[in-house]
Amino acid sequence: MSDADLVQRQTDYVQTLRTMGKRERTLGLVASLIGVLMLMWATYRGEGARSLLGFSGVGVVALGWVLFVSVVVRRARFVRSNPFPQS
């Protein structure tokens, strides 16, 4: 196997990892941003984080982080089950 073939295979492997869970990562980012905006709005209105809007904001941020963590776990499982051959 030539060096060019090895570099191409490695590039394809890394590209597969980058595209894995892209939709979930984007949704997690959007959910986190929306949750923070909800918390800011609740604080601005004077209700604080103990209002229904505040609790909902915390829940939305938690949902976003769950999406992030699930993608990390899925990618780690993929790498363990499909390691890139070093030879």
Side-chain angles (χ1 to χ4, degrees):
M1 180 182 320
S2 70
D3 288 340
D5 292 337
L6 183 63
V7 168
Q8 182 61 40
R9 287 183 60 216
Q10 188 175 16
T11 303
D12 293 342
Y13 184 76
V14 170
Q15 189 63 29
T16 300
L17 288 175
R18 285 182 181 162
T19 58
M20 186 177 262
K22 185 170 178 71
R23 180 184 46 185
E24 289 86 357
R25 285 187 317 220
T26 304
L27 286 174
L29 176 66
V30 169
S32 295
L33 290 174
I34 289 173
V36 167
L37 289 174
M38 290 170 71
L39 283 169
M40 287 173 53
W41 190 24
T43 303
Y44 177 72
R45 288 177 52 186
E47 300 171 358
R50 296 201 179 264
S51 66
L52 181 61
L53 185 62
F55 283 126
S56 300
V58 170
V60 172
V61 170
L63 175 69
W65 276 99
V66 165
L67 288 170
F68 283 140
V69 170
S70 69
V71 170
V72 169
V73 168
R74 203 168 28 159
R75 285 172 72 173
R77 286 182 183 167
F78 176 81
V79 169
R80 274 189 236 119
S81 64
N82 301 309
F84 185 77
Q86 298 298 323
S87 58

